[in-house]
Amino acid sequence: DDAGGHVNNSLGYHYHGDTGMTTRIEQSDGHSAMIGYALDGYGLYAKLDDEDNEATELDECRGHTDDTRGYHYHVLSLESNEFLDCFYGAWAE
């Protein structure tokens, strides 16, 4: 749909990318806006910050740590058809 999501029988409604149409929690320090939480409980943040820069030094799961947010992810672009490459933390199916 226009928000980058759809429904399937096993996962229910879920997103495949950040279109900017979901709720965003802007960060007072210019960091990328928070857009949700991953299945492992870590925060999901938009790909680009307030100045349209992408976060640097991301790990293989597109995450990193800062003093304000702790460990968190930065999502992939909508064209990739996924938010993340992998999960840093554990999650139950």
Side-chain angles (χ1 to χ4, degrees), residues 54-65:
E54 187 169 356
T56 58
E57 300 181 21
L58 299 176
D59 64 22
E60 65 276 1
C61 294
R62 295 201 48 82
H64 67 155
T65 301

Side-chain angles (χ1 to χ4, degrees), residues 3-93:
H6 71 102
V7 176
N8 77 18
N9 291 336
S10 61
L11 295 174
Y13 183 84
H14 63 278
Y15 295 105
H16 281 268
D18 177 25
T19 62
M21 296 184 71
T22 59
T23 299
R24 301 173 98 67
I25 301 171
E26 299 300 328
Q27 306 294 294
S28 61
D29 61 358
H31 186 275
S32 303
M34 183 177 202
I35 59 173
Y37 289 94
L39 289 172
D40 61 2
Y42 290 108
L44 286 172
Y45 289 79
K47 181 178 179 181
L48 303 176
D49 66 16
D50 287 352
E51 296 180 1
D52 291 332
N53 296 312
E54 187 169 356
T56 58
E57 300 181 21
L58 299 176
D59 64 22
E60 65 276 1
C61 294
R62 295 201 48 82
H64 67 155
T65 301
D66 69 30
D67 292 338
T68 303
R69 288 154 284 272
Y71 186 83
H72 60 281
Y73 300 108
H74 289 269
V75 299
L76 292 159
S77 63
L78 181 60
E79 295 79 29
S80 68
N81 199 34
E82 292 187 336
F83 267 176
L84 305 171
D85 289 329
C86 56
F87 292 104
Y88 177 80
W91 61 283
E93 290 188 45

